């Protein structure tokens, strides 16, 4: 199985067992990322849900190079309109990773851990590469 297949498999296990992880991910994220709760305080559950759907989609995509336009757009609005700091992406993706690790529980193993390590690292690299302040 490929890295992406392990990511998808772990997300499927968690979805089957725990249903929607959106609110637990945000709770952990806010706990670990100073300022994030305040930044998202005006956002309702619907928008939070849509954002989480996109985060999970990006974690699952096979070919991130096809996300060039999408990432350019989101990173620009997130940085310039919402004042999102780079470190916040790290905390958000680590929160997803932690919740999935806990959700998979006893079935979690080194292969899942390595797949998540690899995927989170490469997605964060892509996110940083698309950050408007880095492009200047
Ligand atoms: C890969 C990471 C991320 C992706 C793909 C993403 C995606 C999105 C999307 C699609 C929306 C719009 C939802 C809608 O209106 O339909 C959104 C809104 C928002 N995101 Fe993110 N997001 C990411 C990370 C973050 C982080 C780390 C923060 C930091 C707190 C953040 C803060 C916000 C805020 C404040 C809004 C709402 C803006 C508004 O409508 O006023 N996002 N995000």
């Amino acid at each position: 199985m490929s890295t992406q297949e392990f990511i998808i498999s772990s997300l499927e296990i968690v979805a089957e067992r725990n249903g929607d992880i959106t609110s637990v991910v945000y709770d952990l994220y806010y706990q670990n990322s100073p300022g994030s709760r305040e930044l998202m305080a005006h956002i309702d559950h619907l928008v939070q849900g849509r954002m989480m759907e996109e985060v999970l989609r990006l974690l699952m995509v096979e070919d991130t190079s096809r996300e060039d336009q999408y990432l350019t757009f989101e990173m620009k609005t997130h940085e310039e309109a919402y004042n999102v700091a780079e470190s916040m992406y790290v905390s958000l993706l680590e929160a997803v990773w932690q919740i999935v690790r806990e959700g998979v529980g006893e079935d979690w193993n080194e292969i899942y851990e390595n797949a998540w390590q690899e995927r989170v690292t490469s997605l964060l690299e892509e996110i940083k590469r698309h950050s408007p302040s880095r492009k200047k």
Side-chain angles (χ1 to χ4, degrees):
M1 274 186 10
S2 68
T3 296
Q4 286 324 93
E5 285 169 327
F6 280 108
I7 299 289
I8 293 166
S9 147
S10 58
L11 285 167
E12 279 171 355
I13 294 172
V14 174
E16 263 169 39
R17 291 182 187 167
N18 302 349
D20 188 0
I21 59 171
T22 303
S23 63
V24 275
V25 169
Y26 277 112
D27 283 347
L28 181 61
Y29 168 52
Y30 293 156
Q31 228 173 289
N32 293 342
S33 178
S36 290
R37 190 190 298 274
E38 292 74 9
L39 255 187
M40 299 207 77
H42 67 290
I43 314 288
D44 64 20
H45 284 288
L46 193 67
V47 175
Q48 290 201 3
R50 282 204 293 257
M51 177 165 132
M52 192 52 57
E53 270 173 33
E54 287 302 319
V55 171
L56 297 180
R57 187 184 67 78
L58 285 173
L59 282 164
M60 289 188 282
V61 287
E62 208 51 70
D63 183 1
T64 314
S65 64
R66 289 190 169 171
E67 302 297 327
D68 237 25
Q69 266 188 323
Y70 178 71
L71 284 173
T72 301
F73 167 77
E74 288 295 2
M75 294 315 115
K76 188 172 162 61
T77 48
H78 276 69
E79 187 172 320
E80 293 174 0
Y82 322 147
N83 282 317
V84 173
E86 233 174 63
S87 64
M88 291 175 172
Y89 295 103
V90 180
S91 300
L92 179 63
L93 294 182
E94 283 181 349
V96 180
W97 182 359
Q98 174 64 23
I99 294 301
V100 173
R101 187 192 284 119
E102 282 172 16
V104 172
E106 283 184 358
D107 296 324
W108 189 259
N109 57 33
E110 210 178 314
I111 300 173
Y112 281 127
E113 185 65 21
N114 291 342
W116 275 83
Q117 175 79 61
E118 192 178 316
R119 185 61 194 140
V120 167
T121 305
S122 73
L123 186 52
L124 283 172
E125 274 166 18
E126 282 300 318
I127 286 171
K128 285 176 188 165
R129 207 164 61 78
H130 287 84
S131 150
S133 56
R134 295 245 175 163
K135 285 183 174 169
K136 277 172 204 155

